[in-house]
Amino acid sequence: MPVALLWVVSPTTEMYSGFGIADSAACRSLDSSRSASRARSSVSDARPNKHMKQNWNSRSLNVGKQKRADFSVYSGTLANTAEEMAVSSEQKVYDVVLRQASLVNRQLRSSGDLDVKPDIVLQGTLSLLNEAYDRCAEVCEEYAKTFYLGTLLMTPERRRAIWAIYVWCRRTDELVDGPNASHITPTALDRWESRLEDLFRGHPFDMFDAALSDTVVKFPIDIQPFKDMVEGMRMDLRKSRYKNFDELYLYCYYVAGTVGLMSVPVMGIAPESKATTESVYNSALALGIANQLTNILRDVGEDSRRGRIYLPQDELAQAGLSDEDIFTGKVTDKWRSFMMKQIRRARMFFDEAEKGVTELNSASRWPVWASLLLYRQILDEIEANDYDNFTKRAYVSKEKKLLALPFAYVRSVVGNSRISSGLAKP
Ligand SMILES: CC(C)=CCC/C(C)=C/CC/C(C)=C/CC/C(C)=C/[C@@H]1[C@@H](COP(=O)(O)OP(=O)(O)O)[C@]1(C)CC/C=C(\C)CC/C=C(\C)CCC=C(C)C
Ligand SMILES: [Mn+2]
């Protein structure tokens, strides 16, 4: 792991100052007034949307009675009061989707494309900023090579922004999953969140933060999905079991669906797209959820060795399985049939995500298709391993990854017509 990422996992603030290039004076000189000038459109009605129809829990969801969103909850994280408990996670998350979509709606559509704000910073700061983005690119290349290659097709502004977001997400995940994770407390996460607020106000702490600080000025990115990701990390600290899919869905939104919501304002919606902004956000959310469900299914053995079971407890029980069965890690027919259902659900989310990719700006589609095809193939590999995700880690071979890239490219240029690549499931 690069040293640059390691430092951040310390819960002590002293550690932060040890970061080589964190010339905070220079970082702070980034024009903070620009963030204040970021346009914010008002919240639109949280009207029911056709995309709510699909209910992953297969419970019937009365969309007509959908609770009107109480937007005060967005000033913090999603509320979880007794009253809120009556609202499903799907609805709560969908309210966030609606709000995010309405926030960017005008900016994304006004000129048919994103209105990237010009750099108005001084020369010295500009070169520091360039360096900051270069460091983000290095981290991204080191951690996610295929994805990094995909971003090279995007416009320079957009790919730099995606790298900055990637690095912030990676560092956030490292807090709870990295080598110093055992020292991480809710207070450390609170501090991380304060840093996030600072960088959104134009006061970045270090170089990586400076890149993101610049990104959120240039693109209509809202802080909420970032805050929600930190909340997901809090949840991961305090929880090692999920009662049902509703609970798991919320966790998946926090740690992964949020990534989709952060990325769409950068990727942009194609000017020729007839889709609603909400539906594109919904697909982006679905891709994050699909990826995280896939992660969970791939890592069952690994997670159980850390005492964690992310699978819905009620569904395990219905299948006649217990935590003990997971810890024992024996592939039985009960397990196979349980896994088949879980895989089917993850694929439904991938299908939902597919609908939106074509609506993105053409130059942004390739990395998204690549990530979708590659992640979805992990599910195929779990099947190929005869559902042994206790002792085997399903992975996509280098050859298959390479093969996926041209398919992803073709899909990104031909629009919606389905191509039989052998990669995408019908
Ligand atoms: C319309 C449409 C479909 C638009 C596309 C929207 C879009 C770009 C969605 C991206 C979805 C995505 C890549 C989600 C990431 C999901 C994920 C893997 C989350 C991981 C969380 C924690 O998991 P865990 O700890 O269980 O797993 P590990 O063992 O640690 O892997 C994360 C690790 C959270 C941190 C997420 C990242 C580091 C990825 C961030 C990625 C980006 C910002 C780039 C997204 C852009 C593209 C092109 C994929
Ligand atoms: Mn992780």
Side-chain angles (χ1 to χ4, degrees):
M1 175 193 313
V3 177
L5 278 188
L6 266 178
W7 67 273
V8 79
V9 295
S10 164
T12 64
T13 37
E14 296 83 69
M15 254 319 240
Y16 297 144
S17 55
F19 191 61
I21 194 121
D23 179 347
S24 28
C27 291
R28 279 177 223 298
S29 79
L30 289 173
D31 186 357
S32 59
S33 63
R34 284 186 297 157
S35 34
S37 69
R38 232 175 305 137
R40 289 277 182 266
S41 57
S42 64
V43 173
S44 72
D45 274 354
R47 61 189 180 283
N49 180 296
K50 63 187 160 104
H51 299 280
M52 276 297 284
K53 273 190 212 138
Q54 194 148 18
N55 184 293
W56 314 107
N57 262 331
S58 68
R59 272 185 283 105
S60 82
L61 180 72
N62 191 340
V63 175
K65 283 194 192 141
Q66 189 192 357
K67 193 171 172 258
R68 201 190 142 81
D70 168 10
F71 289 110
S72 62
V73 299
Y74 299 116
S75 54
T77 51
L78 292 170
N80 232 344
T81 61
E83 200 210 346
E84 282 290 324
M85 295 295 277
V87 181
S88 75
S89 297
E90 197 181 348
Q91 283 189 54
K92 282 196 267 184
V93 171
Y94 195 70
D95 288 344
V96 182
V97 167
L98 287 176
R99 180 174 155 87
Q100 291 299 309
S102 80
L103 281 174
V104 296
N105 226 341
R106 257 192 299 149
Q107 288 98 320
L108 284 175
R109 306 246 173 199
S110 57
S111 55
D113 201 341
L114 274 172
D115 205 7
V116 175
K117 300 190 182 57
D119 282 309
I120 48 163
V121 284
L122 301 172
Q123 204 52 42
T125 314
L126 198 59
S127 76
L128 257 180
L129 252 185
N130 286 336
E131 206 177 325
Y133 278 117
D134 288 349
R135 295 282 295 274
C136 291
E138 279 166 26
V139 173
C140 197
E141 188 178 9
E142 163 135 15
Y143 274 83
K145 205 169 206 87
T146 322
F147 158 68
Y148 170 78
L149 288 176
T151 59
L152 296 181
L153 263 201
M154 301 169 86
T155 62
E157 286 286 354
R158 286 200 173 108
R159 66 172 169 255
R160 278 161 39 123
I162 290 290
W163 294 336
I165 297 173
Y166 177 89
V167 169
W168 185 86
C169 292
R170 179 49 60 215
R171 290 170 103 188
T172 306
D173 183 57
E174 285 288 318
L175 290 174
V176 293
D177 269 357
N180 288 335
S182 56
H183 303 296
I184 292 297
T185 58
T187 316
L189 289 175
D190 291 348
R191 270 204 294 268
W192 185 244
E193 190 168 348
S194 311
R195 265 181 68 161
L196 172 74
E197 285 161 357
D198 286 347
L199 78 85
F200 263 81
R201 279 195 289 264
H203 298 295
F205 194 86
D206 65 20
M207 240 191 156
F208 293 127
D209 283 359
L212 186 57
S213 194
D214 182 61
T215 288
V216 303
V217 171
K218 289 198 172 120
F219 294 90
I221 297 174
D222 187 46
I223 197 170
Q224 191 59 50
F226 293 84
K227 282 171 148 283
D228 284 344
M229 183 179 275
V230 178
E231 184 58 19
M233 301 306 158
R234 284 193 190 98
M235 198 179 220
D236 213 18
L237 282 189
R238 67 169 184 260
K239 219 168 140 76
S240 62
R241 298 290 186 280
Y242 293 81
K243 262 198 283 185
N244 48 37
F245 185 68
D246 191 64
E247 283 194 8
L248 183 63
Y249 180 89
L250 191 57
Y251 172 69
C252 290
Y253 158 68
Y254 281 144
V255 299
T258 47
V259 180
L261 305 190
M262 295 167 192
S263 310
V264 174
V266 174
M267 301 199 157
I269 298 177
E272 69 276 12
S273 167
K274 303 242 179 321
T276 61
T277 309
E278 296 85 55
S279 70
V280 179
Y281 267 89
N282 206 51
S283 292
L285 165 76
L287 183 54
I289 306 262
N291 285 350
Q292 188 59 19
L293 289 175
T294 303
N295 250 357
I296 287 170
L297 297 179
R298 180 194 60 194
D299 296 340
V300 170
E302 201 180 306
D303 289 334
S304 73
R305 286 185 281 283
R306 299 189 303 136
R308 318 191 71 82
I309 298 176
Y310 290 96
L311 304 164
Q313 294 281 311
D314 61 345
E315 293 175 22
L316 279 169
Q318 267 162 31
L321 293 159
S322 65
D323 284 4
E324 225 23 65
D325 293 311
I326 310 276
F327 293 130
T328 312
K330 201 160 168 271
V331 180
T332 58
D333 282 344
K334 274 186 197 167
W335 179 249
R336 286 189 190 91
S337 112
F338 172 81
M339 278 301 298
M340 279 176 208
K341 288 185 188 140
Q342 301 297 317
I343 289 176
R344 195 177 312 139
R345 178 193 278 143
R347 286 194 176 125
M348 281 169 71
F349 280 95
F350 279 118
D351 291 346
E352 186 67 20
E354 276 204 18
K355 294 179 201 160
V357 190
T358 324
E359 312 301 336
L360 294 173
N361 250 307
S362 54
S364 305
R365 284 178 212 149
W366 190 38
V368 177
W369 271 122
S371 117
L372 191 153
L373 294 176
L374 290 174
Y375 245 88
R376 187 163 54 187
Q377 280 187 89
I378 296 174
L379 298 174
D380 305 345
E381 297 300 330
I382 298 174
E383 288 170 339
N385 285 343
D386 190 28
Y387 306 100
D388 182 1
N389 42 6
F390 298 118
T391 63
K392 294 181 182 155
R393 190 175 209 261
Y395 77 99
V396 180
S397 68
K398 226 179 183 145
E399 297 73 44
K400 283 187 184 166
K401 274 188 182 168
L402 283 176
L403 197 66
L405 292 182
F407 279 118
Y409 183 73
V410 175
R411 290 208 77 161
S412 65
V413 289
V414 297
N416 234 341
S417 58
R418 292 190 72 96
I419 293 167
S420 171
S421 64
L423 298 169
K425 294 266 162 193

